[in-house]
Amino acid sequence: MTTPIPPGREGLIPHLVCSPCAEAIEFYKKAFGAEELARMPAPDGERMMHAEISIGGQPVFLVDDFPEYCGGKSGTATALGGTPVTIHRYVEDCDAAITQAEEAGATVKMPAQDMFWGDRYGVITDPFGHQWSLATHIRDLTPEQMMSGMQEAFSQS
């Protein structure tokens, strides 16, 4: 029986424009241990109409850029000069995850550091212009402790 929401697709699914998509798949495998689940080549035989990977058991959809279907405009994050969207991921070891991503070709935008909200946190940009934040939760704090820590952190800026 067909269901309106396929199993494993219950939550939000990032859908990234990455050109070339085939290179993005390989990057995500090296950087994040992604598992490739599907590829659907475009009629031109060079680009991907759809690809799917899984990172940490969560689906991510990928597609090559198709400006010919978007009013002649590229939709990649690099063509747009970056993105205001950050994809966040909790990992066992934030420092190791950032190092792995950097060795795979990512640029470290913010090295890992202990943050006032209780996470060790850093940010990378992948070679396709997408921004990822990686974190490891290191201590549980009350909202009051986080507010106090935030005030202290921002008073030093």
Side-chain angles (χ1 to χ4, degrees), residues 51-132:
E52 183 176 349
I53 60 175
S54 174
I55 298 175
Q58 301 300 310
V60 177
F61 293 167
L62 305 171
V63 64
D64 263 298
D65 194 22
F66 287 89
E68 64 268 34
Y69 301 124
C70 300
K73 296 182 181 175
S74 175
T76 67
T78 45
L80 297 171
T83 176
V85 175
T86 300
I87 303 165
H88 185 76
R89 182 168 183 231
Y90 278 100
V91 295
E92 291 290 325
D93 183 338
C94 177
D95 295 89
I98 288 172
T99 298
Q100 181 177 341
E102 184 176 28
E103 288 172 355
T107 301
V108 176
K109 187 171 181 182
M110 184 178 112
Q113 54 192 293
D114 294 349
M115 303 304 284
F116 63 83
W117 59 83
D119 290 350
R120 184 148 179 87
Y121 175 92
V123 180
I124 60 110
T125 302
D126 72 29
F128 308 94
H130 299 286
Q131 187 168 281
W132 299 74

Side-chain angles (χ1 to χ4, degrees), residues 1 12 42 45 52 71 96 98 133 140:
M1 178 178 177
L12 299 175
E52 183 176 349
I98 288 172
S133 57
D140 294 327

